[in-house]
Amino acid sequence: MDSENPLGRFLRARRERVRPEDVDILHAGRRRVAGLRREEVALLAGVSTDYYIRLEQGRERHPSAQVVEALARALVLEEDAVAHLHRLARPAPGRRRPAARRERVSPTLLRMMEGWPRTPAVVLGRCLTVLAHNTLGRALFDGHTHSRDLMRLVFLDPDAREFYPDWERVAVNTVAGLRAAAGIDAEDPELIAVVGELSLKSESFRRLWARHDIRQKTHETKRFRHRLVGELTLEYEALTVNSAPGQQLIVYQAEPGSPSEQALALLGSLTADMVEAPHDPMTTTTKDTSA
């Protein structure tokens, strides 16, 4: 985790990903560093090289909002990453960590999801565990070792690259989504456990986590290769659950009249009588916000 110097680690990781040609810097011959040099970022941001070095080294931790915006432009950051950089530069005052409790999914939300028999839907927790699903949502992800944990499904499941034909893109977006969901709370016990396990067991996760990409789950088109119905191309929309901060409702749909819509209907008919023990929506821990 990045608890010692999160701002510096983020700046360095993003600096190493910007190519000189991305910011109109001409260069010749071999470069000794990946991405931009520190002095190049400083020049682009209009700050001194010494000041920028202090930021990366953690000797200066609170740049002004104007400097943050200048650094964001220099590092070609997207909107979510810019917001994250501002949070790193001006973290909220520390407070006592509330006691952990099991995360609950609203019974009203569960009933609403079950009223969508032709629409797969899942509720994700802070670390992208599946807290709840409707029948078709379960069927979409069923049959894998880690069907109820999207992080472990992507990086640890032996079937992941078969299930996700565009696995590399899915992996990049999943890690970026975990960083966005986690925010700057590097002391979250659940997050520490997830990152620790995946870092030990997956070289791909270690590589992507080190990039410090950050991107909220919003909407996307995603391809699946399902063991029962074959190829599916679905669009999803990610909705925040205001009654339970940290939870996301993910709703999938196929293009009307498409082969994917027919495959989704077939999946629904094949699993309509699926019998399952009641899904306990209290599977992971989160902060007790009532404290």
Side-chain angles (χ1 to χ4, degrees):
M1 296 301 295
D2 310 325
S3 56
E4 291 301 318
N5 180 22
L7 175 62
R9 288 177 181 268
F10 180 79
L11 289 173
R12 178 173 180 176
R14 300 311 297 255
R15 170 173 63 83
E16 291 177 346
R17 294 190 53 211
V18 181
R19 300 173 301 176
E21 55 267 32
D22 293 336
V23 289
D24 297 326
I25 291 179
L26 300 178
H27 66 282
R30 297 181 58 187
R31 294 173 63 90
R32 296 169 55 189
V33 298
L36 298 181
R37 301 184 180 97
R38 291 187 179 95
E39 57 267 27
E40 291 170 338
V41 176
L43 178 64
L44 290 168
V47 299
S48 70
T49 299
D50 178 68
Y51 180 76
Y52 179 77
I53 290 173
R54 295 204 308 272
L55 286 173
E56 278 203 8
Q57 293 178 344
R59 292 185 290 124
E60 170 61 56
R61 295 176 182 262
H62 303 295
S64 68
Q66 292 83 358
V67 169
V68 169
E69 288 293 332
L71 290 170
R73 290 191 295 271
L75 296 172
V76 200
L77 299 184
E78 297 177 347
E79 183 178 353
D80 288 335
V82 175
H84 183 68
L85 182 57
H86 276 284
R87 289 192 293 268
L88 291 175
R90 287 288 184 273
R95 62 184 181 91
R96 180 180 63 86
R97 172 174 290 280
R101 69 170 184 177
R102 290 193 171 188
E103 190 167 26
R104 300 174 185 269
V105 178
S106 161
T108 303
L109 179 56
L110 293 174
R111 287 195 301 270
M112 181 175 70
M113 291 164 60
E114 285 302 336
W116 302 335
R118 297 185 297 175
T119 303
V122 300
V123 178
L124 300 182
R126 178 180 177 84
C127 290
L128 306 189
T129 50
V130 178
L131 303 178
H133 45 57
N134 62 6
T135 300
L136 198 52
R138 181 206 171 193
L140 179 61
F141 291 97
D142 193 36
H144 305 283
T145 304
H146 299 287
S147 292
R148 290 184 174 172
D149 188 322
L150 296 192
M151 292 303 306
R152 291 177 175 88
L153 172 58
V154 171
F155 290 100
L156 301 183
D157 205 287
D159 301 325
R161 292 174 187 264
E162 174 69 17
F163 183 55
Y164 294 112
D166 304 311
W167 182 88
E168 183 66 32
R169 180 167 66 88
V170 170
V172 168
N173 290 340
T174 301
V175 173
L178 178 64
R179 278 203 178 271
I184 63 173
D185 188 3
E187 297 181 3
D188 184 305
E190 184 184 357
L191 178 67
I192 291 171
V194 170
V195 172
E197 179 186 356
L198 294 178
S199 295
L200 286 173
K201 295 180 178 179
S202 171
E203 187 280 330
S204 295
F205 176 84
R206 289 196 302 273
R207 170 176 56 84
L208 294 175
W209 187 254
R211 287 170 41 156
H212 285 251
D213 291 338
I214 182 162
R215 191 175 306 110
Q216 295 278 357
K217 289 179 74 68
T218 54
H219 55 83
E220 186 184 3
T221 299
K222 184 174 289 187
R223 290 199 302 147
F224 302 89
R225 186 175 292 117
H226 198 278
R227 63 190 179 90
L228 296 180
V229 297
E231 292 268 353
L232 288 162
T233 299
L234 303 178
E235 296 180 355
Y236 77 73
E237 192 76 26
L239 310 170
T240 58
V241 181
N242 291 339
S243 61
Q247 292 183 17
Q248 301 178 77
L249 171 63
I250 314 298
V251 183
Y252 296 87
Q253 288 189 320
E255 184 73 22
S258 67
S260 291
E261 184 182 50
Q262 297 172 14
L264 199 58
L266 175 60
L267 180 61
S269 66
L270 291 174
T271 58
D273 298 324
M274 182 181 293
V275 178
E276 177 188 24
H279 180 53
D280 182 359
M282 299 164 55
T283 55
T284 61
T285 58
T286 187
K287 296 182 290 185
D288 185 348
T289 54
S290 66

